[in-house]
Amino acid sequence: MGSRSRSINNSATAVVSALLFLFLIHGANCFYLPGVAPEDFQKGDLLKLKVNKLTSIKTQLPYSYYSLPFCTPKKIVDSAENLGEVLRGDRIENSPYVFKMREPQMCTILCKITLDGKTAKQFKEKIDDEYRVNMILDNLPLVVPVRRLDQESRTVYQLGYHIGVKGQYAGSKEEKYFIHNHLAFTVKYHKDSQTNSARIVGFEVKPYSIKHEYEGKWSENTRLTTCDPHNKRAVVNSNTPQEVEAKKEIIFTYDVDYQESDVKWASRWDAYLLMSDDQIHWFSIVNSLMIVLFLSGMVAMIMLRTLYRDISRYNELETQEEALEETGWKLVHGDVFRPPSNSDLLCVYVGTGVQFLGMMLVTMIFAVLGFLSPSNRGGLMTAMLLLWVFMGIFAGYASARLYKMFKGTEWKKVTLRTAFMFPAIVFAIFFVLNAIIWGQKSSGAVPFGTMFALVLLWFGISVPLVFVGGYIGFRKPAIEDPVKTNKIPRQIPEQAWYMNPVFSILIGGILPFGAVFIELFFILTSIWLNQFYYIFGFLFLVFIILLITCAEITIVLCYFQLCSEDYLWWWRSYLTSGSSALYLFLYATFYFFTKLEITKLVSGMLYFGYMLIASYAFFVLTGSIGFYACFWFTRLIYSSVKID
């Protein structure tokens, strides 16, 4: 992949240079991405409040807002969503709420509904499962401010508000369900003193449950006695909450207040993404760096002291009798590059790992540069999918190149397996999980059209690119081994217990996992507890440390293996660092039982299904890194030895 990678890097450098030049010419305004550019509002301008999915950390099954009998607009209109948003279960639609910029509203009546047995049961089930309502205003998510007494009265923000709560009346033991039917919205804006226009920089809500009352018959002009803008009677508490029972009337109301803020538009996400645990992330980095320094020291000792001394002594031997007295890694030079068993499968996995590595590196670079911020909903997942598809060319190239080194001739066969094996396994698991979600009538189920688009990306772009890469890779001259391979395999001596393949492979996966497990906690929290993950700078550092750790631990264990005269290093090098995926899955299991409140079987199946996919992807990534590190190491040391 050398010359092709150099040409691609040169092209990429040229493109980046050209883009930077254009930015310098046109100024900072060019930085805004489609869909996340600021919007200026004049006083009285109509604000479009949109509703999103209902979410719960207890079930992990999202539902569309209008799956419950909330107030509806005259016509429900879906907003255009990207591929990532659909896969996340987002269902963004218009709402009946009417906001006008900087024009406060008090006790605006939205609608009145009467519950029947079915709708009451639906509300109760969602309240039981602690579902939250998510809304969006000017691309900002709705949040509920919560003051934390344990952190010097710092305010934290929770995404969305609970549909309702469970509780008892004073003096009663019977548990009742209460719905939040009054919403007190606060829209924060930053005003431009010159143009008098304003930009929205915050969107908060305080939900209340109140049993509204009115006199006479209900009509469009009915005035509530519990909440009346004419008499300045506002809702300030939930002392008389609204029960959820069949045949009960529920009146939905809302207030809108506008507050001027010093926060500028470019910094409006800072409060949402306030990092209160930066010390833990720095501890994660320091922890990972200590592991890397320890391994780097071992590798340096092996490379600079032991290997240098061994190679010098070996090359200075004058007689064959002296050579026969040598032991260790030098004795297996005639077998160390013998093709392994199931070499085709190894080529497929290495190619897939290269594809995954390319996707992760480019995605993280874009994320660090701010192109995949939380404001660009679904952007991260869309970018990962598209990059995975286009990195197929590197997967085909890597697998075919390795396959030719193993003296393989049927490059089309191995390329076909590279194009289909990993995606087919992931797609099969995903299809089963999607069918389960569909059975629950959740909005998280991927529609048929999106499923068709995924298959089209796979077969229409990824597979052809894998074949193009395979064709280019196989046409390249075969990689020459630095030493000749004997015709008859050398017998491997009996190994010490600590060099047992299973033991050394399991030991090898501990340190790579140890380098990332702290950051893994935050990633799992963002995915399964509906929180934002935005510290991509930390993540990128941890990812680089992970790559270094995988490479170094594999080199160290590979050296010990060769010193024990065991030359079967090909698969073991892949599995040594790849075994960290096993620890990732075990940690995910621990996280499930200690941090999550999931009790339903379907939700548990979804969790372990998706974590199985994540662990499998982690396996091919770390395994390929370990393989290439060991491949480079063995070629380096054996090319330094003079063999007669």
Side-chain angles (χ1 to χ4, degrees), residues 29 45-46 87 126 146 225 276 288 346 353 361 443 467 532 550 578 587:
N29 289 333
D45 282 355
L46 192 66
L87 293 175
K126 294 295 186 289
V146 178
T225 57
S276 58
S288 303
L346 180 63
L361 274 176
S443 65
F467 269 88
F532 290 118
C550 287
Y587 179 77

Side-chain angles (χ1 to χ4, degrees), residues 396-410:
Y397 181 90
S399 59
R401 197 97 168 84
L402 190 62
Y403 181 68
K404 190 170 185 178
M405 193 190 75
F406 289 147
K407 307 295 187 293
T409 55
E410 298 178 353

Side-chain angles (χ1 to χ4, degrees), residues 36 43 48 70 95 112 138 154 185 232 307 327 359 434 452 465 479 498 532 541 555 558 565 571 602:
V36 294
K43 186 174 181 180
K48 294 180 181 177
F70 287 116
S95 77
K112 177 177 75 74
D138 190 38
R154 175 181 284 178
F185 294 106
K232 306 288 185 182
L307 274 174
T327 58
M359 179 201 76
N434 195 61
F452 179 76
L465 285 177
I479 301 171
Y498 52 83
F532 290 118
L541 284 174
I555 288 172
C558 182
E565 299 177 32
W571 271 109
V602 170

Side-chain angles (χ1 to χ4, degrees), residues 328-341 346 406 483-493 495 499 501 557-573 627 630 634 637-638:
W329 62 271
K330 299 168 289 297
L331 290 181
V332 294
H333 65 79
D335 298 276
V336 75
F337 292 106
R338 188 181 304 282
S341 57
L346 180 63
F406 289 147
V483 290
K484 291 183 179 179
T485 301
N486 297 334
K487 292 183 179 179
I488 301 173
R490 178 188 179 90
Q491 187 175 359
I492 299 172
Q495 300 293 300
M499 290 307 298
L557 292 179
C558 182
Y559 174 73
F560 291 153
Q561 179 187 349
L562 294 174
C563 286
S564 301
E565 299 177 32
D566 183 355
Y567 53 83
L568 301 177
W569 63 272
W570 298 97
W571 271 109
R572 197 188 288 195
S573 65
F627 171 83
C630 201
T634 50
I637 63 173
Y638 284 101

